[in-house]
Amino acid sequence: MAARRRGSALRLCATVFLLDMAFSKGYVEDLDESFKENRKDDIWLVDFYAPWCGHCKKLEPIWNEVGLEMKSIGSPVKVGKMDATSYSSIASEFGVRGYPTIKLLKGDLAYNYRGPRTKDDIIEFAHRVSGALIRPLPSQQMFEHVQKRHRVFFVYIGGESPLKEKYIDAASELIVYTYFFSASEEVVPEYVTLKEMPAVLVFKDETYFVYDEYEDGDLSSWINRERFQNYLTMDGFLLYELGDTGKLVAIAVIDEKNTSVEHTRLKSIIQEVARDYRDQFHRDFQFGHMDGNDYINTLLMDELKVPTVVVLNTSNQQYFLLDRQIKNAEDMVQFINNVLDGTVDAQGGDSILQRLKRIVFDAKSTIVSIFRSSPVMGCFLFGLPLGVISIMCYGIYTADTDGGYIEERYEGSKSETQSPEPVEESKEKQEPRSGDSLVPAVQEPKDVLEKKKD
């Protein structure tokens, strides 16, 4: 009886799950060629996919959840998906070069989504980009609400100015990454001090930084550098994004499952430097930790011992390894200063030699990973082509040898067939030698023999 109840419960759960999936799919529209003409009337969040793409299949249930939640909260953004292989011309117009590609289409503008493929991150992206480019903060209460809700955001303070025009241009480019607001000086918290107006500020890590055109350079570049929190949990995607900032990245490479003192100590030291030396290093450094050394090993093309600290320059693939034992934050600060002044040798890089080394390393890693995951598949993928190539080479070699022999014989027979008469004449003119049985006698005509008898 209990087994029957469990079976009934499992069947009920499966039925509910299937109904939920079918219900979710109803809020994601399948788009066709008519979408090109009709899309400008609405704001669209579109997944361009390929039916054979494995990553697209993983995204599908998440995308259905996105469609369901956007509908349930009354969002003006419509959610759709398009088979980019069936409607390749439309996909090309939107600049789709890989699958899946997520874009928010707003009027004549198309914004690429480059964040993690999770439901919450995708929905936040849709809300941010579909709304106003620069959102006003009319009161201190609204300012405090934004501070609680967003970890990083930018604020323009002041009236009309050339700086505001640059701020609008930067926002139109970088709205896919972060939030942009505007406010008057009265709305800003009292702890904020401004030397001059207008000004652009970034609020993060429970503090703020003011843009300085002379020290920070181009406004868009400064915003791109400052759109990250000072301390982050690193992964491969985040390191790729940090490559555009030009900052060095100091990472404590640890095993989070290992609770030994050394692992937790290095992480705490990096956090302390990021917090206490923020004003000194925030323009040049990003701080964080990474769980495990697998991804770092692929960057360094070497086995990195854990726990340790490594400094990466993700823009040119250089890295710096510790040249001392890190006992406290002061030791870490000294190491960072030595990296900045060039007394620590940089390794790696993007030279031609390093690129060739990278190609060999990537090929080797791919082959090893295939054989580790599936030895049979590895033998089939690499053994079969090698066997076919070997057979082809052997066939070409034997074909060349036989062809030359036949051609030689053919040339000999050809010379004989082309000049039979001169050969006969030469034989007739030759005098037979006595005792030379190898020279055949030439038979004379019958009338000549009769005359000799007479």
Side-chain angles (χ1 to χ4, degrees):
M1 182 65 70
R4 289 182 180 178
R5 289 178 179 175
R6 285 196 297 269
S8 300
L10 289 174
R11 285 193 295 271
L12 179 60
C13 291
T15 303
V16 171
F17 176 77
L18 292 174
L19 288 174
D20 183 62
M21 290 296 295
F23 186 67
S24 300
K25 287 183 179 180
Y27 294 111
V28 176
E29 297 189 30
D30 284 305
L31 306 176
D32 53 26
E33 62 273 358
S34 62
F35 174 69
K36 182 179 178 180
E37 301 297 330
N38 301 331
R39 72 173 185 85
K40 292 186 178 181
D41 298 332
D42 299 291
I43 302 174
W44 282 92
L45 183 66
V46 182
D47 168 29
F48 293 91
Y49 70 96
W52 43 262
C53 171
H55 294 292
C56 301
K57 294 177 181 177
K58 290 181 180 179
L59 179 63
E60 184 178 5
I62 298 173
W63 198 251
N64 292 332
E65 293 178 7
V66 170
L68 176 61
E69 183 156 338
M70 296 292 278
K71 187 69 175 180
S72 62
I73 63 178
S75 172
V77 179
K78 292 186 175 182
V79 181
K81 61 180 181 179
M82 175 177 284
D83 184 350
T85 60
S86 299
Y87 306 103
S88 56
S89 60
I90 300 177
S92 298
E93 288 186 22
F94 290 119
V96 176
R97 296 182 179 87
Y99 311 113
T101 294
I102 299 173
K103 288 180 177 284
L104 187 134
L105 307 175
K106 182 180 177 182
D108 294 326
L109 300 175
Y111 297 92
N112 287 330
Y113 175 70
R114 298 176 181 175
R117 290 169 185 162
T118 64
K119 182 192 73 171
D120 294 336
D121 288 309
I122 294 172
I123 290 175
E124 183 186 6
F125 164 80
H127 290 329
R128 181 171 66 248
V129 180
S130 63
L133 185 64
I134 298 175
R135 309 182 186 201
L137 297 175
S139 64
Q140 289 185 351
Q141 291 80 5
M142 182 63 71
F143 195 100
E144 292 173 359
H145 173 74
V146 169
Q147 273 189 309
K148 293 177 181 178
R149 185 174 179 182
H150 303 301
R151 297 176 180 176
V152 180
F153 63 97
F154 294 83
V155 181
Y156 173 83
I157 301 173
E160 298 296 326
S161 69
L163 181 60
K164 185 175 183 179
E165 294 178 3
K166 294 179 181 178
Y167 184 70
I168 294 172
D169 292 339
S172 62
E173 176 188 354
L174 300 172
I175 188 66
V176 295
Y177 298 119
T178 188
Y179 288 89
F180 295 89
F181 298 91
S182 64
S184 62
E185 191 174 4
E186 294 77 17
V187 172
V188 179
E190 295 181 357
Y191 62 82
V192 175
T193 57
L194 298 174
K195 296 180 180 180
E196 57 182 14
M197 296 281 290
V200 176
L201 291 75
V202 58
F203 289 85
K204 63 179 182 178
D205 303 320
E206 299 179 352
T207 187
Y208 69 95
F209 301 98
V210 182
Y211 167 68
D212 188 322
E213 184 176 3
Y214 297 101
E215 292 188 10
D216 299 318
D218 178 67
L219 178 60
S220 293
S221 300
W222 177 77
I223 292 174
N224 192 46
R225 291 195 302 270
E226 297 297 333
R227 62 187 176 89
F228 298 97
Q229 291 180 276
N230 201 32
Y231 186 90
L232 299 165
T233 301
M234 300 289 179
D235 57 20
F237 175 80
L238 191 53
L239 285 176
Y240 175 80
E241 289 289 303
L242 289 171
D244 295 333
T245 66
K247 287 187 177 183
L248 298 173
V249 187
I251 305 175
V253 185
I254 62 173
D255 181 0
E256 290 191 331
K257 296 179 181 178
N258 191 326
T259 58
S260 64
V261 175
E262 186 63 14
H263 286 259
T264 56
R265 187 178 67 85
L266 281 179
K267 180 180 176 181
S268 299
I269 288 175
I270 295 291
Q271 288 175 327
E272 183 180 348
V273 172
R275 181 185 65 249
D276 297 343
Y277 296 85
R278 182 165 36 205
D279 294 338
Q280 182 176 348
F281 293 130
H282 86 274
R283 281 189 172 91
D284 301 306
F285 265 87
Q286 191 75 44
F287 297 91
H289 74 273
M290 176 173 281
D291 182 20
N293 62 351
D294 292 340
Y295 186 81
I296 294 292
N297 290 342
T298 61
L299 291 180
L300 274 56
M301 294 182 286
D302 197 1
E303 187 74 21
L304 192 66
K305 293 183 179 180
V306 176
T308 189
V309 173
V310 60
V311 174
L312 299 176
N313 186 340
T314 53
S315 61
N316 61 8
Q317 297 184 349
Q318 286 185 341
Y319 60 93
F320 304 85
L321 298 178
L322 290 177
D323 60 350
R324 71 199 69 212
Q325 185 178 2
I326 301 297
K327 297 181 180 179
N328 49 41
E330 286 72 22
D331 289 337
M332 188 66 211
V333 169
Q334 184 61 44
F335 173 67
I336 290 175
N337 285 324
N338 290 344
V339 169
L340 291 174
D341 61 28
T343 55
V344 178
D345 293 333
Q347 303 181 47
D350 55 359
S351 63
I352 296 177
L353 181 61
Q354 286 294 324
R355 292 177 184 178
L356 293 174
K357 184 178 177 182
R358 169 70 59 186
I359 292 172
V360 174
F361 176 83
D362 290 341
K364 180 181 176 182
S365 301
T366 302
I367 294 172
V368 170
S369 63
I370 290 175
F371 274 96
R372 283 180 177 175
S373 60
S374 178
V376 177
M377 180 63 70
C379 293
F380 177 78
L381 290 177
F382 297 101
L384 182 60
L386 289 175
V388 172
I389 292 172
S390 300
I391 294 172
M392 291 175 62
C393 292
Y394 177 76
I396 293 170
Y397 172 77
T398 54
D400 285 344
T401 305
D402 294 343
Y405 176 70
I406 293 170
E407 185 177 355
E408 183 179 353
R409 289 173 55 193
Y410 172 75
E411 290 295 333
S413 60
K414 184 177 179 182
S415 62
E416 292 176 0
T417 55
Q418 286 180 348
S419 56
E421 294 179 358
V423 173
E424 285 294 326
E425 291 178 359
S426 63
K427 287 182 179 180
E428 290 177 359
K429 292 179 181 179
Q430 288 179 354
E431 293 291 337
R433 292 176 292 179
S434 60
D436 192 357
S437 60
L438 296 176
V439 181
V442 180
Q443 185 176 1
E444 297 182 0
K446 185 176 181 181
D447 55 347
V448 176
L449 291 176
E450 290 179 351
K451 287 181 180 180
K452 286 184 178 180
K453 287 181 181 179
D454 293 340

